[in-house]
Amino acid sequence: MGSQEDERLLLEHGLLQENGEQCTGDGSVDLKGNPVLKSKTGNWRACPFILGTECCERLAYYGIATNLVSYLTKKMHQGNVSAARNVTTWSGTCYLTPLIGAVLADAYWGRYWTIAVFSTIYLIGMCTLALSASVAVFMAPECIDSICPSATPAQYGVFFLGLYLIALGTGGIKPCVSSFGADQFDDTDPNERVKKGSFFNWFYFSINIGALVSSTLIVWMQENAGWGLGFGIPAIFMFVAIASFFSGTPLYRFQRPGGSPLTRMCQVVVASFRKCELEVPQDSSLLYETQDKHSAIEGSRKLEHTDELKCLDKAAVVSEADMKSGDFSNPWTLCTITQVEELKILIRMFPIWATGIVFSAVYAQMSTMFVEQGTVMDRRIGSFIIPAASLSTFDVISVIFWVPVYDSVLVPIARKFTGQERGFSELQRMGIGLFISILSMVAAALVEIRRLQIANELGLVNEDVAVPMNIFWQVPQYFLVGAAEVFTFVGQLEFFYDQSPDAMRSLCSALSLLTTSLGNYLSSLILTIVTAITTAGGNPGWIPDNLNQGHLDNFFWLLAGLSFLNMLVYICCSLKYKQKMAS
């Protein structure tokens, strides 16, 4: 009898189909909106298509981004400052447009269709860019001796049209692909929850495989085989990415969009303000919530009430006016507990999110100060001169090394000590990454101290020349940054997916990407302040044009100190953080 009763309850809740096969318990559906069978959809069987999509898309993106400044200076005949400004503006846009894609995915289209639409825009942009570098009428004229004619407005127009279509396209992919991949694992199944942690590791692994191919093979082709081919091959890989994504459609699990998250947050604020004079009852069961098993928010489980931020609970207080009217359907005057808790979760996540900005500022040194440091070191291997920027390959190699080590070695060991199904919690994992990022700055500072000592011993302080210290001494700092990425960036992916409200996961993923953009801005701000202070009174400053006269080591020590303070703030915030509680 018990077995029959259990089956009847499961049928009522949509967890079993009539043939007795089990459906997912997290509300996921197929493309037509029907409940999906756990045995035939999602899980690892759907992930190769998503990981293949991400790998090819990142290869396409970095195939453009890695060497874009060279194309602007060599082929479009722009100056260094103008080219750098165009690249940073475009890069910043690529990390801001995910907010657009996230809102569309969470509110209206769902992650699948958002990825599909924006991938198409992305491909059109890639093809436009490839045409601008291969069709003569769209290309800037070649230099004649030392005279380099500027590109025409039409040529600039085609080039930047392609570039910003890519920026728009990536805005619909970045915040959705990782979340869509995680959607393939049922939150209500403990076994699938563990697999979801591994998915984020391999997702980041696939990103770096794409980046490795781009920074080596694609960049070489652009420099040696021509830019038309160098931009055309990334466009082909973007087509492969789209084909890979659509190929897995029958196996995917889909989460329904829940309406505009921004609107729901505004409704809570307005409703709580309207009822600011009301008292919140001590018994939280008196607060408003729908009576059926489903949340009023499409695609979301109900959230349990928490005691903090009680001022927002007023939005869920049922007033006498609500009782008299009997109308509980206007969310601008009365919100459910789940809707209130959505906003509380975002507020609780904010301090954790903010600490990621300093980490991103440290990460930004790989493409700035690490490269500057490398240019004044011995870069020769026989007759070959290593480009200073190419040492970032060791960061990618570090990530490719640490992902399988973390997943296969560290997690099983940590699981024995912590008892956590994923070995480390997301917060623990991110904290470890913050600590390793401090070590990377310390390593960079120690290398610079030794480099300056050699410059002083050889009398090269006033000479703007490379110091005879092998550039491979930089490898440890790059390797440590890569290790920090595996802990912090992948931890962020997990954290912002697991802890975000069900119907806001794309938005929270976009917010995590925003830390990268803000980290770059913070790095620029710190650099500006340091330069202004240290050059006062005619001093050369910490970072002069001739680094042999400067103290770049002090800049690295400053970042190490800021990272240490940031880690202390993070520890305090993480200890106070209250985990999401969903039904």
Side-chain angles (χ1 to χ4, degrees):
M1 287 294 293
S3 176
Q4 292 178 347
E5 178 64 16
D6 290 343
E7 186 169 321
R8 184 186 66 79
L9 290 171
L10 287 170
L11 280 166
E12 284 182 6
H13 288 268
L15 299 180
L16 282 182
Q17 289 195 341
E18 290 186 7
N19 58 9
E21 291 191 75
Q22 190 176 9
C23 293
T24 56
D26 61 355
S28 53
V29 295
D30 63 16
L31 193 59
K32 296 180 180 179
N34 302 314
V36 290
L37 297 176
K38 294 183 72 171
S39 62
K40 295 181 179 178
T41 60
N43 216 314
W44 280 114
R45 67 177 65 84
C47 290
F49 301 97
I50 298 170
L51 295 177
T53 298
E54 182 64 10
C55 182
C56 292
E57 185 274 326
R58 289 291 85 188
L59 190 154
Y61 174 81
Y62 287 116
I64 301 301
T66 303
N67 214 21
L68 182 59
V69 70
S70 296
Y71 182 79
L72 287 170
T73 54
K74 294 177 181 178
K75 294 297 179 180
M76 302 297 284
H77 313 313
Q78 291 192 346
N80 288 335
V81 173
S82 179
R85 187 187 304 118
N86 280 321
V87 172
T88 54
T89 301
W90 177 73
S91 298
T93 304
C94 288
Y95 282 95
L96 290 175
T97 53
L99 293 172
I100 299 171
V103 171
L104 288 173
D106 283 340
Y108 308 109
W109 295 351
R111 284 182 268 279
Y112 176 85
W113 287 114
T114 302
I115 294 169
V117 171
F118 280 80
S119 292
T120 305
I121 296 171
Y122 198 131
L123 180 59
I124 293 171
M126 295 291 296
C127 292
T128 303
L129 200 64
L131 287 173
S132 74
S134 54
V135 177
V137 70
F138 296 142
M139 298 165 63
E142 294 290 335
C143 294
I144 302 173
D145 295 326
S146 60
I147 300 173
C148 298
S150 298
T152 66
Q155 290 165 344
Y156 272 125
V158 173
F159 174 77
F160 282 109
L161 174 64
L163 206 59
Y164 279 89
L165 282 175
I166 293 171
L168 178 60
T170 195
I173 297 173
K174 279 179 182 288
C176 296
V177 175
S178 62
S179 297
F180 186 68
D183 287 344
Q184 307 311 309
F185 300 92
D186 188 350
D187 264 342
T188 63
D189 185 326
N191 292 325
E192 291 199 16
R193 275 204 307 271
V194 175
K195 294 175 183 177
K196 182 165 62 180
S198 292
F199 167 78
F200 284 115
N201 292 328
W202 293 106
F203 179 82
Y204 204 72
F205 181 88
S206 67
I207 289 174
N208 282 272
I209 290 292
L212 180 62
V213 175
S214 290
S215 62
T216 53
L217 180 62
I218 301 299
V219 169
W220 183 89
M221 294 186 70
Q222 289 168 348
E223 296 285 351
N224 295 277
W227 290 92
L229 188 62
F231 285 163
I233 290 177
I236 293 171
F237 272 98
M238 190 60 218
F239 177 80
V240 173
I242 295 173
S244 173
F245 179 72
F246 283 115
S247 296
T249 300
L251 299 174
Y252 293 150
R253 298 172 184 174
F254 304 83
Q255 294 289 340
R256 297 183 179 95
S260 172
L262 301 178
T263 301
R264 291 200 302 276
M265 287 188 283
C266 291
Q267 287 168 342
V268 172
V269 172
V270 170
S272 59
F273 179 78
R274 284 181 169 179
K275 297 181 175 179
C276 60
E277 296 180 357
L278 297 180
E279 291 291 329
V280 177
Q282 293 295 320
D283 184 359
S284 61
S285 65
L286 297 176
L287 296 173
Y288 177 65
E289 184 57 275
T290 56
Q291 296 303 306
D292 59 0
K293 60 187 175 67
H294 297 295
S295 166
I297 303 167
E298 188 74 29
S300 174
R301 292 166 292 172
K302 287 184 177 180
L303 296 171
E304 296 181 20
H305 176 262
T306 56
D307 291 329
E308 53 194 10
L309 297 169
K310 286 195 172 183
C311 59
L312 296 176
D313 286 340
K314 294 185 178 185
V317 173
V318 181
S319 66
E320 291 185 11
D322 294 327
M323 295 294 291
K324 286 180 181 178
S325 67
D327 181 15
F328 299 156
S329 62
N330 184 1
W332 293 100
T333 58
L334 181 64
C335 301
T336 63
I337 291 175
T338 296
Q339 189 173 343
V340 172
E341 289 299 321
E342 277 190 331
L343 181 54
K344 286 186 182 181
I345 286 172
L346 290 184
I347 294 172
R348 286 200 299 266
M349 289 169 71
F350 179 79
I352 304 294
W353 172 83
T355 57
I357 297 173
V358 176
F359 177 81
S360 293
V362 170
Y363 178 74
Q365 303 315 307
M366 271 204 315
S367 58
T368 53
M369 290 301 107
F370 283 12
V371 177
E372 294 284 351
Q373 184 185 41
T375 58
V376 286
M377 298 177 74
D378 184 5
R379 297 182 286 129
R380 292 171 298 174
I381 297 181
S383 60
F384 181 72
I385 297 177
I386 303 170
S390 68
L391 257 72
S392 62
T393 303
F394 286 98
D395 166 73
V396 178
I397 293 171
S398 176
V399 171
I400 292 172
F401 169 80
W402 278 109
V403 165
V405 168
Y406 180 89
D407 204 48
S408 304
V409 179
L410 295 183
V411 168
I413 294 173
R415 193 180 288 141
K416 294 178 181 178
F417 292 97
T418 65
Q420 303 242 4
E421 57 188 16
R422 296 184 188 176
F424 299 103
S425 69
E426 300 101 325
L427 293 172
Q428 289 170 339
R429 182 172 186 171
M430 291 159 64
I432 294 170
L434 294 180
F435 174 73
I436 297 174
S437 72
I438 299 172
L439 299 182
S440 70
M441 289 297 100
V442 171
L446 293 176
V447 168
E448 183 63 12
I449 287 173
R450 180 58 185 152
R451 196 193 68 80
L452 291 174
Q453 284 177 347
I454 294 173
N456 188 54
E457 290 168 2
L458 299 178
L460 300 176
V461 172
N462 295 317
E463 302 290 332
D464 189 7
V465 294
V467 169
M469 179 180 181
N470 197 288
I471 193 173
F472 285 107
W473 282 103
Q474 283 192 307
V475 169
Q477 64 205 55
Y478 279 100
F479 201 78
L480 286 167
V481 170
E485 283 182 69
V486 170
F487 282 90
T488 297
F489 279 154
V490 181
Q492 281 182 343
L493 286 173
E494 286 189 76
F495 177 78
F496 284 106
Y497 181 87
D498 282 350
Q499 294 302 310
S500 64
D502 293 349
M504 290 187 181
R505 281 173 167 162
S506 298
L507 178 62
C508 289
S509 293
L511 291 175
S512 72
L513 292 168
L514 189 60
T515 61
T516 302
S517 179
L518 296 178
N520 279 278
Y521 294 145
L522 177 62
S523 177
S524 298
L525 178 62
I526 294 171
L527 191 60
T528 301
I529 294 172
V530 164
T531 301
I533 293 174
T534 60
T535 56
N539 292 317
W542 287 358
I543 313 172
D545 290 337
N546 176 11
L547 287 179
N548 294 337
Q549 293 180 328
H551 269 290
L552 183 58
D553 56 320
N554 288 345
F555 181 73
F556 290 138
W557 285 121
L558 174 63
L559 286 177
L562 290 174
S563 297
F564 178 74
L565 294 175
N566 183 61
M567 186 180 70
L568 295 181
V569 172
Y570 173 82
I571 292 171
C572 293
C573 293
S574 62
L575 290 175
K576 294 179 181 178
Y577 183 78
K578 197 165 187 177
Q579 298 281 328
K580 179 183 78 173
M581 294 183 293
S583 62

